[in-house]
Amino acid sequence: MILAKQIFISTNFYQRMFKQIMGVPPAQFLRDIRVSEACRLLANTDMAVQEIAEKCGFNCASYFIYVIKKQLGITPLEYRKRNRML
């Protein structure tokens, strides 16, 4: 982890402390933030799924779809249909 190196602690120590304080590992915390923003964009914009994936920090649209489906139980397009705000 870059942050751990910047504050001169080991990656393992950083991850343990982060999980102890936040309740989830750093990677899951970041993924949750990305999914939350993706859901907002899916519900409130006409942006393409690929564009939303990139904007939310996912390098690959297929991985983005996998993560959304795993966390929400539905695909990004299904989420959009069910939660459309426009």
Side-chain angles (χ1 to χ4, degrees):
M1 295 237 108
I2 294 171
L3 183 58
K5 289 178 183 177
Q6 288 179 341
I7 58 175
F8 306 105
I9 61 172
S10 75
T11 300
N12 286 341
F13 181 74
Y14 169 76
Q15 290 176 341
R16 278 196 321 270
M17 291 294 98
F18 189 97
K19 186 174 181 181
Q20 185 177 7
I21 294 167
M22 301 303 291
V24 294
Q28 182 64 45
F29 184 81
L30 181 58
R31 199 169 24 256
D32 290 348
I33 291 171
R34 288 176 172 168
V35 168
S36 177
E37 177 63 7
C39 288
R40 186 188 70 76
L41 292 171
L42 286 164
N44 296 302
T45 72
D46 287 326
M47 292 170 62
V49 170
Q50 172 75 36
E51 190 177 354
I52 291 173
E54 291 171 5
K55 195 169 198 73
C56 293
F58 292 91
N59 295 330
C60 175
S62 60
Y63 179 66
F64 169 70
I65 293 166
Y66 167 81
V67 169
I68 295 289
K69 192 165 186 178
K70 186 172 180 178
Q71 284 199 324
L72 304 178
I74 56 176
T75 66
L77 291 179
E78 280 185 71
Y79 181 88
R80 176 174 270 164
K81 287 178 189 173
R82 293 182 187 180
N83 297 282
R84 196 70 172 156
M85 296 293 194
L86 294 178

